[in-house]
Amino acid sequence: MSSQENDDLAPTCTAGFKVGEKKNIDELAQLDAADASLNKWKESLGLSHAQERFPDDPRTVVVQALVFQSEDRAIRIDVSTPKAIKNLQKNPITIKEGCEYTFKIEFVVQREMVSGLKFLQQVKRKGIPVDKMEEMCGSYGPKYESHERTFPSSKAPSGLLARGTYNVKSKFIDDDNTVYLEWMWSMDIKKDWE
């Protein structure tokens, strides 16, 4: 068995799809350099010299936050540093049972073009998988400003038996299977917001 088959959060693979050759920003900028319209398009992707948002951070993709949004409230879950993730693991977020919600991810791409970003998430209750999400986010060029991607809405479970702690494993990955961030966190489904 491959490590991908053992991974709860392995992305689905499309049969016959092959990831293209990786090129850096300078190589992409030189391709078809004489084509004015293509150069304008490349500029819109950030293939010119975009400022780095975090010059001292070696990561290409810096995931800043996962935001839980419902009609009643928004909870910004900071995942920008190892310290923030460690704190998150100790402090579950509370979600009201039966509420409709979405997740939004906020991230910065710097230095290189990233293709086929995906957000993967698996929710378990007492060790048993109860939900899994795989959402394609797209391809992005380097940009100083944050990117945001909002995912389709879901409904929190409800009822006495559904209340309790759910453990969540989230992963941000690209077509090359480069994992930009993988983290564990928990949420408590309760009768009301606390």
Side-chain angles (χ1 to χ4, degrees):
M1 243 191 232
S2 73
S3 64
Q4 208 173 35
E5 290 170 345
N6 291 328
D7 186 358
D8 289 339
L9 283 181
T12 56
C13 297
T14 303
F17 173 75
K18 292 183 182 168
V19 176
E21 181 184 344
K22 185 117 173 125
K23 295 191 182 293
N24 66 35
I25 294 295
D26 293 331
E27 291 171 328
L28 289 169
Q30 295 304 315
L31 291 174
D32 300 314
D35 187 331
S37 65
L38 189 56
N39 286 333
K40 188 175 181 179
W41 177 72
K42 287 190 261 185
E43 181 83 22
S44 75
L45 289 177
L47 298 184
S48 65
H49 304 291
Q51 288 183 319
E52 292 178 16
R53 175 97 168 256
F54 307 104
D56 296 331
D57 191 328
R59 296 178 290 177
T60 304
V61 177
V62 180
V63 183
Q64 298 174 290
L66 185 64
V67 182
F68 170 89
Q69 299 174 309
S70 74
E71 187 177 296
D72 296 331
R73 67 181 53 179
I75 303 168
R76 189 172 194 277
I77 305 166
D78 181 9
V79 293
S80 61
T81 65
K83 183 179 178 183
I85 292 170
K86 195 172 190 174
N87 186 44
L88 174 63
Q89 290 170 342
K90 293 181 213 168
N91 302 303
I93 65 166
T94 299
I95 298 174
K96 181 181 177 182
E97 68 177 350
C99 74
E100 290 276 339
Y101 68 91
T102 63
F103 278 112
K104 174 175 73 172
I105 193 158
E106 300 172 354
F107 59 97
V108 172
V109 176
Q110 57 183 17
R111 294 184 196 89
E112 297 295 330
M113 182 99 177
V114 179
S115 69
L117 278 175
K118 290 181 185 176
F119 178 72
L120 308 168
Q121 184 164 279
Q122 184 174 50
V123 180
K124 291 183 178 181
R125 173 104 192 268
K126 298 182 180 178
I128 299 169
V130 294
D131 191 29
K132 188 172 182 180
M133 174 172 75
E134 179 175 344
E135 290 292 330
M136 176 58 80
C137 297
S139 299
Y140 299 88
K143 184 175 155 184
Y144 186 84
E145 296 82 17
S146 294
H147 296 282
E148 293 182 352
R149 174 73 162 82
T150 301
F151 304 117
S153 65
S154 296
K155 187 172 185 176
S158 61
L160 182 63
L161 295 176
R163 291 182 209 135
T165 300
Y166 291 76
N167 296 312
V168 185
K169 183 177 181 183
S170 300
K171 185 190 286 188
F172 210 43
I173 189 170
D174 71 9
D175 277 345
D176 296 322
N177 287 323
T178 302
V179 177
Y180 294 104
L181 185 63
E182 185 171 0
W183 72 102
M184 302 280 293
W185 56 287
S186 299
M187 58 183 168
D188 288 335
I189 304 292
K190 295 191 175 182
K191 191 169 185 170
D192 209 342
W193 303 104
E194 280 187 56

